[in-house]
Structures are given as structure tokens and as C-alpha cells.
Amino acid sequence: MDILGLGMSLMDTIQLVDEVPAGSGVTEVRDSSIMGGGPVPTALCAASRRGAQTAIIDRVGDDWRGKLLADDYELFGVDCRFLTQESERSSSLGIVLVRKRDGERHVVFQRGNATPITDAELPHDALRSCRILHLNGRHWPACLRAAEEVKCAGGLVSFDGGANRYEAKFDELFPLIDILIVARDFAERSTGSDNRAEQLAHLSREGATIVGITDGEKGSWFRTKSGDSFHQDAFPVDPLIDTTGCGDVFHGAFLYGMGE
């Protein structure tokens, strides 16, 4: 397997609106779509579309959402042998309101109640043979155990630190990470600094080969293990319709490129 992902799958209902409502009233939806989502799953789908062999480790409910998620993975070519559907449990749901004029979003989230993956349920053979393991901290502490196994077997571990997702427990995982790419908000919260150079230096000190910080239209900043750093401008998109999953696709494309 090129990329093995351990993360949470959720069904996204995306609604395009003129403005995100601030109070009571009626809002007309200009366009809508239902599709699988989640940071790790979206990254796997993006990498798979480029030609990488990918697989997801997760558990969803046996409801309509879980069935559609499995179908969506199959559509994108993501291997589902490690995806289980738990009886009488619900899968996670995201309702995403997208502002038409600039693609910004407001997310309403309902967490499913499927049982988290445990250490004992991890596909150990797959972990020891994959080239890259992609994580975002879901299914803790199995996430930590999976990273240890991949590192011991000589594989690479990638971590997606999303906005509003920093938790102090992730500090225990950082020494195992080879590819550490986080959002601006995550970098600020984890380092206590708003200076890019200081953030990159702080995040690099645990030994990651590549550290990156993404900041939407401002582009991204990277630093290598040797201390080299650079800024990558964002590519303008016109028209900009929806920013949902942009950072997740970035991760998937980046990991695919690592294998080229």
C-alpha cells in the first residue's frame, strides 16, 4: 500500500447559499451536493485519483450514511478492507453552508456513535508494509500505536494538523512524525507564536523531515530537516466556488508527490 490512512469518515451535505444566515429566517440553497468527507478520507481520495494505492482504517455505522461512504470510497478507488460498519450505530454527518461570493464555509457537525478503533483492531501487517501512514489524531490512542508500528518498520508517518484541532496530547505523537503539515491556527496554538519562522523552527525540533504551515490564499511555508525554508504562493482560482476540503486535498496531492 502506498498510503494507509487512519481517520474519521463523515458524510458531507454541502449547500451553496448567498449568505450564511445569522438568525432566524429562510435561506434558499443555490446548489447542493452529498459526498464523503473528513481530512484523512479526502486526502486518500485525492491521492488515489492521482494513481496511488490507498486504504482507509475506520469504523462507521450501518446507517444510510455509512453505506454511502463505502460507495464513495469505492468510486474513488480507496481500498475499504479495513473499513467496518457497526450494527445499530450512526455515522458522522457534516452540513456545510458555503457562501457563494467567496467560498467560505460554516460547518454544522453531528458526530456519529460508532466505536473508535482500538489498538488490537489495527491491521498490523498493512501498517508494517505501507510506505506512508496518514493521520490527523482520530482514534486515539490507536493512532499513536499505528505511528509507532510504521516507524519501526521503516515507513513514513504524515500528520494533518487542521484548524481548531490542536490538542496537547498530540505533542506525544510529534516525535514519530516525518511529514508534519498544519494549518495556521494549529501552528499558532501548538507553538504559542504568530511568527512563521519561529513556528517552523518549533515544529521542526521533534525531528520531522518536512514541516509545513498552510494559510489559505496566503500560501504555505515549508522547512526541511536541514533547515532550508521557503514560501509557496497560493494559486489563484477563478471562479472560486467552494473551499471545502481544500487543505485535505493538499495533503493527498503532497503525499502522492512524495512517492513520485
Side-chain angles (χ1 to χ4, degrees):
M1 197 65 60
D2 294 321
I3 307 170
L4 189 59
L6 174 63
M8 184 183 71
S9 310
L10 72 153
M11 182 56 59
D12 275 341
T13 301
I14 301 173
Q15 314 282 350
L16 186 67
V17 296
D18 291 331
E19 293 292 337
V20 176
S24 61
V26 177
T27 300
E28 182 177 356
V29 173
R30 300 299 182 182
D31 199 359
S32 64
S33 180
I34 298 177
M35 64 182 69
V40 170
T42 303
L44 294 177
C45 288
S48 178
R49 274 291 176 90
R50 297 298 300 164
Q53 290 185 316
T54 66
I56 180 69
I57 307 170
D58 193 16
R59 179 161 30 239
V60 297
D62 66 347
D63 54 357
W64 66 271
R65 303 170 193 168
K67 292 178 174 61
L68 283 178
L69 285 167
D71 290 343
D72 219 32
Y73 278 127
E74 182 177 354
L75 177 66
F76 279 86
V78 177
D79 193 321
C80 290
R81 74 182 78 175
F82 310 123
L83 176 70
T84 59
Q85 295 185 12
E86 187 173 8
S87 177
E88 299 182 359
R89 296 283 179 157
S90 63
S91 307
S92 297
L93 174 69
I95 300 174
V96 186
L97 300 181
V98 180
R99 192 164 58 193
K100 185 177 180 181
R101 59 185 166 86
D102 58 5
E104 285 301 321
R105 304 157 297 143
H106 180 85
V107 180
V108 179
F109 175 68
Q110 180 185 13
R111 188 185 303 275
N113 62 0
T115 307
I117 300 293
T118 66
D119 294 14
E121 296 175 289
L122 290 170
H124 301 289
D125 289 342
L127 289 168
R128 296 187 188 107
S129 61
C130 73
R131 292 174 49 235
I132 301 174
L133 172 67
H134 187 47
L135 309 165
N136 77 328
R138 296 292 186 181
H139 298 296
W140 195 272
C143 171
L144 186 60
R145 177 58 182 164
E148 291 172 345
E149 287 202 33
V150 171
K151 287 290 288 186
C152 287
L156 299 176
V157 180
S158 166
F159 183 79
D160 173 1
N164 304 308
R165 284 279 298 140
Y166 174 71
E167 295 182 51
K169 67 182 182 182
F170 294 152
D171 294 347
E172 186 179 358
L173 180 63
F174 287 164
L176 301 170
I177 303 300
D178 300 286
I179 305 164
L180 178 59
I181 303 178
V182 304
R184 172 189 55 79
D185 170 82
F186 191 103
E188 292 175 353
R189 295 189 183 200
S190 61
T191 65
S193 170
D194 59 4
N195 179 276
R196 286 287 179 271
E198 292 178 0
Q199 292 169 353
L200 289 170
H202 182 98
L203 293 170
S204 297
R205 69 184 186 184
E206 297 291 355
T209 302
I210 298 173
V211 169
I213 300 172
T214 60
D215 192 10
E217 63 184 12
K218 295 180 181 178
S220 54
W221 289 257
F222 281 87
R223 174 176 168 142
T224 65
K225 191 172 184 178
S226 62
D228 296 329
S229 61
F230 67 94
H231 172 246
Q232 173 63 55
D233 290 330
F235 291 92
V237 177
D238 187 24
L240 178 62
I241 304 298
D242 178 13
T243 59
T244 306
C246 287
D248 310 330
V249 171
F250 182 98
H251 280 267
F254 191 94
L255 295 180
Y256 170 79
M258 288 286 294
E260 284 294 282

